[in-house]
């Protein structure tokens, strides 16, 4: 019903404007009917238009535009930019048409395009005929200069007029937040891992030992997402860490994050570990020399085995010595090889002295 009244108002507006142009004015009754009756329909936003058509009594855009007899789309409204940590998003109020899917296209114009390229507008590659009422312009806004932004709606062959952001956007107005961080210990090493916010970000890390009069130390971390060693900690001490993000391209930094602390155990080594190390050292001192000696024995008997003279040969040699028949006979004594007459002269039974006594 409201749409029907809106269409009537459009035709009535044309009639009033024609009457005004022909007669130089309109009657007070007709003007009162328009300004206090049909003009106060309070139509929803998507039925309003943005071109200067039918401006009567201060009311602008109460009906769709007419272009060559075909109604065109209303333009998107309420454009705004939301920028956090150098991520820039343009948003707007969607154009709502029941049963229809409206698409949107976004264009931008930087300082260079405005001054040196005759106000050329550039299409945002990621926001061409998109259905979402928002556009990620992070890759398009690459300089710290004012950018003009605009968007329009498309439905089939129909397109709306362009809606332009009221104030140019500059990326140096982005909101910088403290980075998320994870503080841990690796033995006695203090380790931090920072959130990866992108290639434009660096981080300033401050850390200190939690005690009266402790002095903060600072370290610059070039990128996030990688564990970084900060300090070798003392046993029994507590260390605290905080960090802030820094963007050199815009010359700004965020506030510091909340401090996070870790505590190190008091003993340098647990008692059980020290005892185990001592026992292991003593075993090495005993076992290694014994093993070397035993290995030498095995090699010795493997390469040069000892030959033991049978008892029969030993007694036979002794008898030969008593009888003086030792020449040409050899025996083994241990590992030494002796002729029988030499063996007899070394003080063995049947030695030279015994033989001489027998002869006498």
């Amino acid at each position: 019903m409201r749409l029907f009244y809106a269409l009537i108002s459009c035709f009535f507006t044309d009639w009033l404007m024609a009457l005004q142009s022909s007669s130089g004015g309109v009657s007070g009754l007709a003007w009162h009917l328009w300004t206090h009756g049909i003009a106060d329909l309070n139509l929803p936003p998507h039925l309003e238009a943005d071109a200067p058509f039918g401006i009567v009594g201060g009311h602008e855009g109460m009906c769709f535009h007419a272009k060559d007899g075909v109604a065109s789309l209303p333009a998107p409204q309420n454009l705004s930019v939301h920028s956090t940590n150098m991520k820039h998003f343009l948003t707007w109020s969607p154009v709502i048409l029941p049963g229809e899917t409206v698409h949107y296209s976004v264009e931008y114009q930087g300082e260079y395009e405005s001054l040196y390229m005759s106000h050329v507008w550039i299409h945002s590659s990621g926001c061409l005929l998109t259905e979402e009422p928002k556009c990620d312009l992070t890759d398009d806004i690459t300089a710290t200069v004012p950018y003009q932004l605009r968007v329009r709606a498309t439905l089939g062959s129909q397109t709306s007029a362009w809606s332009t952001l009221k104030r140019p956007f500059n990326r140096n107005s982005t909101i910088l937040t403290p980075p998320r961080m994870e503080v841990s210990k690796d033995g006695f090493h203090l380790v931090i891992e920072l959130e990866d916010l992108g290639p434009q970000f660096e981080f300033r890390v401050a850390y200190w030992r939690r005690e009266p009069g402790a002095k903060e130390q600072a370290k610059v971390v070039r990128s996030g997402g990688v564990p970084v060693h900060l300090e070798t900690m003392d046993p029994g001490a507590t260390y605290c860490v905080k960090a802030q993000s820094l963007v050199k391209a815009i010359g700004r930094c965020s506030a510091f994050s909340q401090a996070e602390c870790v505590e190190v155990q008091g003993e340098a080594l647990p008692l059980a570990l020290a005892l185990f190390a001592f026992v292991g050292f003593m075993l090495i001192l005993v076992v290694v020399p014994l093993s070397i000696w035993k290995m030498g024995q095995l090699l010795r008997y493997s390469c040069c085995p000892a030959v033991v003279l049978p008892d029969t040969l030993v007694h036979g040699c002794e008898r030969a010595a008593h009888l003086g028949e030792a020449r040409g006979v050899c025996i083994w004594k241990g590992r030494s090889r002796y002729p029988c007459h030499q063996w007899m002269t070394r003080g063995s039974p049947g030695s030279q002295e015994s033989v001489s006594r027998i002869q006498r």
Side-chain angles (χ1 to χ4, degrees):
M1 183 63 68
R2 288 180 178 240
L3 181 59
F4 175 73
Y5 286 142
L7 294 176
I8 292 178
S9 69
C10 291
F11 291 116
F12 191 64
T13 299
D14 293 337
W15 177 74
L16 285 177
M17 294 181 67
L19 182 63
Q20 184 177 13
S21 62
S22 61
S23 61
V26 294
S27 65
L29 178 61
W31 182 261
H32 179 82
L33 178 61
W34 169 246
T35 57
H36 293 85
I38 299 177
D40 295 331
L41 291 175
N42 296 323
L43 295 177
H46 67 272
L47 294 180
E48 297 181 359
D50 61 340
F53 180 87
I55 303 176
V56 179
H59 294 272
E60 178 177 355
M62 292 301 296
C63 57
F64 292 131
H65 304 283
K67 183 178 181 180
D68 298 332
V70 180
S72 61
L73 292 176
Q77 302 296 322
N78 303 321
L79 276 67
S80 62
V81 176
H82 302 273
S83 178
T84 302
N85 292 330
M86 302 298 286
K87 303 293 190 298
H88 319 299
F89 292 89
L90 175 67
T91 62
W92 55 88
S93 298
V95 176
I96 301 176
L97 296 178
E100 301 290 347
T101 301
V102 180
H103 296 82
Y104 307 95
S105 297
V106 176
E107 293 182 347
Y108 64 91
Q109 182 184 97
E111 186 179 53
Y112 182 81
E113 291 81 13
S114 177
L115 296 179
Y116 304 105
M117 298 182 65
S118 302
H119 300 278
V120 172
W121 289 87
I122 301 175
H123 287 288
S124 175
S125 58
C127 303
L128 184 61
L129 297 179
T130 178
E131 296 183 9
E132 295 293 328
K134 66 178 181 180
C135 176
D136 185 357
L137 294 169
T138 303
D139 295 334
D140 298 317
I141 300 177
T142 57
T144 310
V145 297
Y147 279 81
Q148 297 281 355
L149 305 174
R150 68 182 187 179
V151 60
R152 72 177 179 184
T154 301
L155 178 61
S157 61
Q158 302 180 33
T159 57
S160 72
W162 290 99
S163 289
T164 305
L165 189 68
K166 292 182 179 180
R167 295 181 180 179
F169 170 75
N170 195 319
R171 67 177 185 176
N172 61 9
S173 62
T174 187
I175 299 173
L176 299 180
T177 62
R180 294 192 299 269
M181 63 180 183
E182 182 179 351
V183 182
S184 60
K185 57 183 179 179
D186 183 9
F188 290 97
H189 301 289
L190 181 62
V191 179
I192 184 174
E193 183 173 350
L194 296 161
E195 175 187 9
D196 187 7
L197 295 177
Q200 296 180 340
F201 281 80
E202 294 182 355
F203 306 93
R204 183 181 293 113
V205 179
Y207 57 96
W208 65 95
R209 180 171 176 170
R210 193 170 65 182
E211 61 183 5
K215 185 179 180 180
E216 286 188 2
Q217 301 184 56
K219 185 172 185 176
V220 176
V221 179
R222 302 299 179 185
S223 61
V226 180
V228 178
H229 172 262
L230 295 178
E231 175 103 351
T232 300
M233 302 180 289
D234 297 328
T238 300
Y239 288 79
C240 298
V241 183
K242 62 181 180 180
Q244 66 175 171
S245 56
L246 172 66
V247 182
K248 290 184 177 180
I250 61 176
R252 292 181 52 212
C253 58
S254 71
F256 273 100
S257 62
Q258 293 291 331
E260 295 186 20
C261 302
V262 292
E263 184 177 0
V264 190
Q265 294 181 356
E267 294 183 359
L269 286 175
L271 182 60
L273 182 59
L275 181 60
F276 178 78
F278 176 76
V279 172
F281 179 72
M282 295 304 296
L283 288 175
I284 290 174
L285 289 179
V286 174
V287 172
V288 171
L290 183 61
S291 300
I292 295 175
W293 177 82
K294 188 63 177 177
M295 186 62 67
Q297 293 293 321
L298 291 175
L299 293 175
R300 176 182 175 184
Y301 288 109
S302 298
C303 298
C304 304
V307 178
V308 180
L309 190 65
D311 293 340
T312 304
L313 295 179
V314 173
H315 295 305
C317 191
E318 291 178 351
R319 287 194 301 269
H322 286 289
L323 298 176
E325 298 176 355
R327 61 178 180 273
V329 180
C330 298
I331 64 170
W332 288 88
K333 181 62 176 177
R335 294 173 56 202
S336 303
R337 182 175 181 273
Y338 301 105
C340 286
H341 67 275
Q342 293 182 3
W343 176 69
M344 290 185 297
T345 59
R346 291 173 180 260
S348 301
S351 62
Q352 186 68 32
E353 296 179 355
S354 301
V355 173
S356 61
R357 282 196 298 269
I358 293 173
Q359 290 176 353
R360 288 193 298 267

